[in-house]
Amino acid sequence: MRKLVWVRADGEESWDTKKELVKKAIECGVDAIVVRPDEVRPVLELGSVLVTSSEDLPGVGVVLRRLSSPSELQEVKGWATRVKQSGKKAAVIVDVVDKQSERAAAKLGSVADFVLVCAKDWKIIPLENLIADFQKLPGRLLAEVRSADEAVLAAQTLEVGTHGVLLDSRDPKEIERTCERLDELSRESLSLTTARVVSVTPAGIGDRACVDTTSMLEVGEGMLVGSQAEGLFLVHSETLPSEFVEPRPFRVNAGGVHSYIRVPGGKTKYLSELKAGDEVLVVDSKGRGRPAVVGRVKIERRPMVLVEVESAGRMFKVLLQNAETINLVDANGNPIPVTRLSPGQELLVLMEAGGRHFGKRVEETLVER
């Protein structure tokens, strides 16, 4: 899953000094910038970005407070609750220096939207403990770092890593390096297998969803979609030239609105749930995945076709628009139109055991037909 990148720009330097730092952060698409209250407006004048500050001012999306001592825990938890009730998000900075402050950081994860942990010496922070604690908490854990290398370490600790990092650097190039390194980490590697086509049947009229992203997709890339979460088909993007329509290299005509679609972090959503700003996983025939942001979802009534395949004794299905421009991907990685599918052909699918609960994979007995 993509890691959050926050940048600190709340130091004592002059605004002219910090301006280039803020401009680079916005250019790199960081998730939030921490700023001084008197510099909220100048930051927003430079571009659209989530602003975090210690005062609840117009334009501030996340209100920030420091936990100065574990003895303030109840007071800060009450403050976070009030901030959230006002419609804003709450973030708390915690200097983790001992076991007591570590426990306080974990407890704040049940109330605050974001917990930012800082330390002068990372060796005394049992980051593994906090990462494990936050797996069961609604809050997101960010570790303060000073370089791209430290950011990667925090993002990979215990394999799961923190939800993101708070970068404290005065070097604009370090912001760029950190975003690039963490973007590489967000890429996933999936093991696709082949399934044999059993039948291809017209399925009447249905609502289908086109997923338009804010990324340019390449030939060979698509999205993983299916009627059963344990068997998802690689549906090819509309990057191919056609005599019928111009290529739409940002689009996957993903099929019936009931279908599951794979999103980053090993999760799924229903196509009907997707909206602008969500993330989906773009995958190629080698199983290499990268996140892409949804710009628009178009749902229209169209003639549908039901494709049924079999692999290792298991049957999987997908309902797609019945049109020449809709392609699945064969065993050799080549796109093949659904209108030319026939029994015996082999297609690429992602097979997984277990069911889904609110998009997360769980080990349970489940049959989806």
Side-chain angles (χ1 to χ4, degrees):
M1 181 176 292
R2 192 178 70 85
K3 302 296 184 178
L4 300 175
V5 179
W6 288 23
V7 169
R8 294 198 73 159
D10 58 345
E12 297 298 328
E13 302 90 347
S14 68
W15 168 245
D16 288 338
T17 301
K18 286 187 281 191
K19 187 175 180 179
E20 294 305 312
L21 193 74
V22 172
K23 287 169 65 176
K24 175 58 73 172
I26 294 174
E27 176 188 318
C28 292
V30 302
D31 297 280
I33 303 177
V34 180
V35 304
R36 294 161 55 102
D38 59 322
E39 292 173 343
V40 169
R41 180 174 294 181
V43 168
L44 290 173
E45 288 174 352
L46 291 175
S48 178
V49 66
L50 181 62
V51 170
T52 302
S53 192
S54 59
E55 293 184 19
D56 187 1
L57 300 171
V60 172
V62 182
V63 188
L64 181 66
R65 176 167 175 170
R66 180 178 292 276
L67 180 74
S68 301
S69 167
S71 64
E72 299 178 351
L73 179 60
Q74 292 307 314
E75 178 188 343
V76 174
K77 289 176 72 174
W79 167 86
T81 299
R82 292 190 296 273
V83 169
K84 294 169 69 173
Q85 289 172 344
S86 73
K88 297 286 183 79
K89 292 189 175 181
V92 181
I93 295 182
V94 182
D95 293 308
V96 178
V97 296
D98 53 25
K99 193 65 178 179
Q100 191 177 11
S101 52
E102 177 204 320
R103 291 194 186 104
K107 290 177 180 177
L108 283 166
S110 64
V111 181
D113 296 287
F114 305 97
V115 177
L116 319 176
V117 293
C118 311
K120 294 180 180 178
D121 182 0
W122 276 101
K123 293 180 181 179
I124 66 172
I125 290 194
L127 195 57
E128 295 90 346
N129 293 344
L130 285 170
I131 290 171
D133 288 336
F134 272 76
Q135 294 302 298
K136 306 182 286 289
L137 297 171
R140 295 191 173 189
L141 176 68
L142 279 71
E144 185 181 62
V145 298
R146 290 170 178 78
S147 68
D149 288 341
E150 287 187 5
V152 170
L153 180 62
Q156 290 183 319
T157 299
L158 276 187
E159 296 186 4
V160 176
T162 60
H163 294 99
V165 298
L166 172 64
L167 178 64
D168 187 4
S169 172
R170 301 298 175 264
D171 182 358
K173 291 183 179 179
E174 200 63 37
I175 296 175
E176 187 172 3
R177 283 192 289 267
T178 298
C179 290
E180 289 176 351
R181 295 282 300 278
L182 293 188
D183 182 62
E184 283 297 318
L185 287 183
S186 70
R187 297 176 180 269
E188 299 184 25
S189 180
L190 303 172
S191 180
L192 302 182
T193 188
T194 58
R196 180 180 56 84
V197 175
V198 175
S199 65
V200 183
T201 312
I205 301 295
D207 292 327
R208 69 92 177 99
C210 282
V211 181
D212 294 347
T213 72
T214 59
S215 299
M216 297 293 283
L217 309 187
E218 299 177 359
V219 173
E221 291 185 319
M223 297 176 191
L224 293 166
V225 179
S227 292
Q228 298 125 295
E230 60 180 8
L232 302 178
F233 295 67
L234 182 56
V235 182
H236 199 276
S237 56
E238 294 194 359
T239 50
L240 305 172
S242 167
E243 61 180 298
F244 303 101
V245 295
E246 290 296 317
R248 302 288 189 267
F250 50 80
R251 172 177 296 172
V252 172
N253 189 325
V257 290
H258 71 287
S259 299
Y260 294 103
I261 182 168
R262 187 66 176 262
V263 298
K267 299 179 182 179
T268 60
K269 284 190 173 183
Y270 295 120
L271 283 176
S272 62
E273 294 177 328
L274 288 182
K275 60 185 183 302
D278 287 346
E279 284 190 329
V280 292
L281 192 67
V282 173
V283 180
D284 67 13
S285 61
K286 302 296 184 183
R288 296 172 296 204
R290 61 185 176 95
V293 175
V294 176
R296 171 179 54 239
V297 178
K298 290 180 59 179
I299 298 176
E300 300 164 305
R301 291 185 65 77
R302 293 291 186 268
M304 307 293 285
V305 62
L306 172 65
V307 180
E308 297 184 84
V309 300
E310 181 272 334
S311 181
R314 299 158 68 187
M315 298 289 294
F316 305 112
K317 305 175 184 180
V318 67
L319 280 145
L320 300 167
Q321 182 178 341
N322 194 357
E324 297 87 345
T325 55
I326 314 304
N327 291 266
L328 291 169
V329 181
D330 69 17
N332 296 316
N334 300 314
I336 179 169
V338 296
T339 53
R340 288 171 41 199
L341 284 177
S342 59
Q345 292 176 310
E346 291 192 328
L347 301 174
L348 290 180
V349 298
L350 175 69
M351 291 175 54
E352 291 186 318
R356 292 278 167 172
H357 181 68
F358 293 106
K360 297 181 180 180
R361 189 157 67 92
V362 293
E363 297 299 330
E364 64 176 352
T365 300
L366 176 68
V367 177
E368 292 180 308
R369 297 178 178 170

